[in-house]
Amino acid sequence: MPPVRSPLREINISESDARISVSTAVSSSSTLSSCAIGQSAPPPHPRTRTQETKSYAAEPSKNPHPIHPPRVEATAQEEKKELRGGGAIRSGRRPRRNQSEELAIAAMEGGMGGGGGGGQQELSADNVRGIVLALLSSGFIGSSFIIKKKGLRRAAVSSGISAGVGGHSYLLEPLWWVGMITMIVGEIANFVAYAFAPAVLVTPLGALSIIVSAVLAHFILNERLHALGVLGCVMCIAGSMVIVIHAPLEQEITSVKEIWHMATQPSFLLYVASVIVLVSVLVFHFSPLWGQSNVLIYTAICSLMGSLSVMSVKALGTSLKLTFEGTNQLAYPETWFFMLVVAICVLTQMNYLNKALDTFNTAVVSPIYYVMFTSLTILASIIMFKDWSGQSLGSITSEICGLIVVLSGTILLHVTKDYERIPQSRSLYAPLSPTSATRLNGELLRHVEEDVRRTDDEEKVLRRQEMY
């Protein structure tokens, strides 16, 4: 008689615990059923028990997974559904989405943002730096205008010759140099602001320098700010706040090569070619004929060249920022090309701006130039840097409305700038009798015209000294 072998040695070690539990359950159920009918089942022979176990375990092909298969199949189906639906699966892996799904999700998020909060987005750190620098620039430039004007008046009193008639005594006035240094600091801050924030955000904030100048002139130079001027200041501030809230985010640029790629795209090359053609026609055809009679000719030349100068300034500023951060961009010829474009555009811009200020009144030139320059600069930035590509329709509409409000406030400020001075001067002579008016009219009007002309000359000198 062969020795009795243990049941554990008859079971294949590769079988799962589920099969062992099933065999044990089958044996236990047969024993309980025998006891239930009142029969005493004798204990099975070890050989027979081993054979029963072997016979049950020897048929894995009929039911290889008796317990767990439904759950395994359900888990696989759930994972497939979660992958198809874009949900997170149990393993923690992020499901992949195709391009159409990403665009649809972005459109849904943009629509929800536009309906909930007007499509506004959180300002980035670079945008915050650009806004702070633009505000500081406006403060310095606006205050420099007042400081230099005080220096011009003090120099005119000490020498007896004003700057408007060719005097240069203001160069010996320390107060004028303080104003000049203040203006340079403001221009440097404005230059750096373009390296951190888009031109759509920085350029309209330049209108705040007019507010600073008007308010300081009211308190320091005793130039009364009319009620409409106050309204213009409020409009500029409100429009600037709208633009800041809905401003686009600054693109992350890692090399000047990326800016060069943007500058050589067909749409921007078409804009540059259009600007060159328009400027050439205005300079060689319209300027000799109607330059002295139509203010739009000189201001259009300045504005068109100014839009290209701002794009070049932004490219150059970004290159210098990357260089200071450790990535040298001065080795690329594109950086020096942008620097050359900046020099050419700024010199042309200042030349024709001086012609406009010498020919027409400052109160007429300044608002027209600011409106045209700001509008063309924003248009060039949209074409080159695609500032509005990732924004919702609500944000773009809000920015346009804010820009219109800022431009309207600027025009209102300039139009009402001399509103109080000239009517008050003329009203002083209205109560005079006809005889006195006839005798003193020429002399008094001559003094009024000299005062107005002197003030305009001072403003022209100050405008020439400002760098755009």
Side-chain angles (χ1 to χ4, degrees), residues 235-248:
M235 292 175 64
C236 290
I237 295 174
S240 300
M241 291 178 62
V242 173
I243 294 175
V244 168
I245 292 174
H246 298 277

Side-chain angles (χ1 to χ4, degrees), residues 31 75 105 129 385 455:
T31 305
T75 304
I105 292 174
R129 295 189 187 98
F385 294 98
T455 304

Side-chain angles (χ1 to χ4, degrees), residues 76-97:
Q77 292 177 359
E78 290 175 3
E79 291 181 356
K80 290 180 180 179
K81 290 180 180 179
E82 289 173 351
L83 284 174
R84 293 176 182 175
I89 60 177
R90 294 178 181 270
S91 60
R93 295 178 299 174
R94 186 176 180 179
R96 296 181 179 178
R97 300 187 180 100

Side-chain angles (χ1 to χ4, degrees), residues 380-439:
S381 180
I382 293 171
I383 296 175
M384 179 174 176
F385 294 98
K386 302 293 187 298
D387 292 329
W388 287 351
S389 60
Q391 288 196 291
S392 63
L393 181 60
S395 296
I396 296 175
T397 305
S398 299
E399 290 176 30
I400 295 175
C401 294
L403 176 63
I404 294 175
V405 172
V406 171
L407 297 179
S408 303
T410 304
I411 295 174
L412 195 59
L413 267 174
H414 282 287
V415 168
T416 60
K417 185 176 181 180
D418 299 328
Y419 180 79
E420 287 293 331
R421 188 180 71 240
I422 297 177
Q424 280 185 355
S425 301
R426 292 177 179 174
S427 65
L428 292 175
Y429 315 120
L432 295 177
S433 62
T435 305
S436 300
T438 302
R439 183 164 45 89

Side-chain angles (χ1 to χ4, degrees), residues 241-272:
M241 291 178 62
V242 173
I243 294 175
V244 168
I245 292 174
H246 298 277
L249 297 178
E250 174 70 1
Q251 299 182 17
E252 184 178 357
I253 299 175
T254 59
S255 174
V256 71
K257 294 286 188 179
E258 298 181 19
I259 307 178
W260 180 257
H261 177 72
M262 297 176 185
T264 54
Q265 56 186 337
S267 57
F268 188 72
L269 289 178
L270 180 61
Y271 176 80
V272 174

Side-chain angles (χ1 to χ4, degrees), residues 30-276:
S30 61
T31 305
L32 290 175
S33 61
S34 301
C35 296
I37 59 176
Q39 297 179 356
S40 60
H45 194 274
R47 180 66 177 176
T48 306
R49 185 176 182 181
T50 304
Q51 290 176 355
E52 292 176 358
T53 307
K54 287 176 64 179
S55 63
Y56 180 80
E59 299 178 356
S61 59
K62 294 181 180 180
N63 193 8
H65 304 288
I67 295 178
H68 298 290
R71 182 58 186 168
V72 174
E73 294 177 359
T75 304
Q77 292 177 359
E78 290 175 3
E79 291 181 356
K80 290 180 180 179
K81 290 180 180 179
E82 289 173 351
L83 284 174
R84 293 176 182 175
I89 60 177
R90 294 178 181 270
S91 60
R93 295 178 299 174
R94 186 176 180 179
R96 296 181 179 178
R97 300 187 180 100
N98 54 26
Q99 186 176 5
S100 61
E101 290 177 348
E102 293 288 351
L103 293 175
I105 292 174
M108 291 174 62
E109 291 177 353
M112 293 174 63
Q120 65 185 39
Q121 49 192 344
E122 185 179 357
L123 291 176
S124 63
D126 285 344
N127 275 25
V128 173
R129 295 189 187 98
I131 292 172
V132 172
L133 289 171
L135 294 177
L136 291 176
S137 172
S138 299
F140 280 114
I141 294 176
S143 59
S144 69
F145 187 85
I146 304 303
I147 297 173
K148 288 191 296 181
K149 196 166 186 178
K150 289 282 291 185
L152 288 174
R153 289 184 177 182
R154 184 180 296 181
V157 170
S158 60
S159 63
I161 301 176
S162 64
V165 295
H168 298 283
S169 60
Y170 62 88
L171 296 176
L172 302 177
E173 178 59 43
L175 187 61
W176 182 88
W177 283 106
V178 172
M180 191 67 183
I181 294 173
T182 305
M183 187 198 68
I184 294 174
V185 172
E187 293 294 341
I188 293 175
N190 189 40
F191 175 82
V192 178
Y194 280 107
F196 287 98
V200 178
L201 174 60
V202 176
T203 305
L205 293 180
L208 299 179
S209 63
I210 304 175
I211 299 177
V212 175
S213 176
V215 173
L216 291 179
H218 177 76
F219 292 102
I220 297 177
L221 301 179
N222 296 323
E223 296 180 0
R224 183 182 175 187
L225 186 62
H226 193 260
L228 292 178
V230 176
L231 178 60
C233 294
V234 174
M235 292 175 64
C236 290
I237 295 174
S240 300
M241 291 178 62
V242 173
I243 294 175
V244 168
I245 292 174
H246 298 277
L249 297 178
E250 174 70 1
Q251 299 182 17
E252 184 178 357
I253 299 175
T254 59
S255 174
V256 71
K257 294 286 188 179
E258 298 181 19
I259 307 178
W260 180 257
H261 177 72
M262 297 176 185
T264 54
Q265 56 186 337
S267 57
F268 188 72
L269 289 178
L270 180 61
Y271 176 80
V272 174
S274 303
V275 169
I276 294 175

Side-chain angles (χ1 to χ4, degrees), residues 271-283 304:
Y271 176 80
V272 174
S274 303
V275 169
I276 294 175
V277 170
L278 288 175
V279 169
S280 300
V281 172
L282 290 173
V283 169
L304 289 169

